[in-house]
């Protein structure tokens, strides 16, 4: 079996998920994992499917035919990391007044310390009593066994003070 990772993007409308699912099923694929969302009238997602090696190109060709409804890009997945020790997983929460650069600063700090973002959700919303906008992010990260967790914590605390947000690291 081959693992394919599909990225899908298009104008939001009824039936988009069903259209992709129909093509995947019709070509012997199995829909395994996905993250799909509508934001500001656009629909986007990432989908992991498995398909028999002999049907990979057939499925890829069929997905291209969805163009006009959705733009679909396929990537071959990599199920093995090759690391001897499994990575640890951390959860990071960021909360503060919204301003440009928060995601750049936090993601750069994590990358600089060897962490890989597995999932990230962000949201801005009106601040209830203070006025203005709040920014909130929840990040799940892979942390290799060789990473010094105390150094990551120190760097995140320093960053939080610099960009004036609260950053919480949970192991």
């Amino acid at each position: 079996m081959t693992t394919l990772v599909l990225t899908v993007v298009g104008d939001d409308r009824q039936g988009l998920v069903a259209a992709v699912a129909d093509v995947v099923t019709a070509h012997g694929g199995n829909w395994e994992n996905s993250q799909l969302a509508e934001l500001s009238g656009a629909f986007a997602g990432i989908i992991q499917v498995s398909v028999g090696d002999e049907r990979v190109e057939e499925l890829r060709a069929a997905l291209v035919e969805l163009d006009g409804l959705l733009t679909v890009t396929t990537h071959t997945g990599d199920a093995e990391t090759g690391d001897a020790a499994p990575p640890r997983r951390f959860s990071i929460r960021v909360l503060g007044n919204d301003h440009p650069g928060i995601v750049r600063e936090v993601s750069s700090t994590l990358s600089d310390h060897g962490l890989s973002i597995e999932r990230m959700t962000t949201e801005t919303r009106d601040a209830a009593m203070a006025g203005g906008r709040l920014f909130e992010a929840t990040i799940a990260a892979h942390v290799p066994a060789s990473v010094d967790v105390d150094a990551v914590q120190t760097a995140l605390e320093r960053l939080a003070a610099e960009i004036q947000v609260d950053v919480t690291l949970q192991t």
Side-chain angles (χ1 to χ4, degrees):
M1 296 294 279
T2 297
T3 297
L4 294 178
V5 177
L6 316 177
T7 56
V8 298
V9 178
D11 293 331
D12 189 35
R13 65 184 115 176
Q14 178 182 345
L16 296 178
V17 174
V20 176
D22 286 346
V23 171
V24 168
T25 302
H27 293 85
N30 183 42
W31 185 302
E32 295 182 1
N33 297 297
S34 62
Q35 292 288 316
L36 308 166
E38 180 276 331
L39 296 170
S40 297
F43 178 80
I46 187 165
I47 306 161
Q48 177 186 350
V49 301
S50 60
V51 63
D53 297 339
E54 69 285 353
R55 298 194 74 183
V56 170
E57 293 311 315
E58 173 188 331
L59 176 56
R60 281 185 165 150
L63 289 165
V64 169
E65 293 179 20
L66 290 175
D67 199 30
L69 181 64
L70 279 169
T71 301
V72 180
T73 306
T74 62
H75 308 272
T76 303
D78 181 19
E80 296 296 321
T81 62
D83 292 340
R88 297 167 288 174
R89 296 191 192 316
F90 286 177
S91 176
I92 299 138
R93 182 170 180 256
V94 180
L95 180 65
N97 290 325
D98 186 36
H99 57 83
I102 296 173
V103 172
R104 178 180 50 85
E105 294 294 335
V106 172
S107 62
S108 293
T109 299
L110 296 177
S111 177
D112 290 347
H113 285 84
L115 279 73
S116 177
I117 294 173
E118 178 181 280
R119 294 184 194 276
M120 180 171 74
T121 58
T122 64
E123 175 185 29
T124 59
R125 63 180 181 274
D126 290 331
M129 295 195 176
R133 302 282 292 165
L134 285 178
F135 173 86
E136 183 172 7
T138 303
I139 303 166
H142 285 122
V143 183
S146 61
V147 168
D148 179 356
V149 178
D150 291 334
V152 173
Q153 180 72 38
T154 300
L156 287 172
E157 288 170 358
R158 186 177 318 116
L159 175 65
E162 287 174 15
I163 65 173
Q164 299 178 343
V165 296
D166 291 326
V167 178
T168 307
L169 174 69
Q170 295 178 323
T171 56

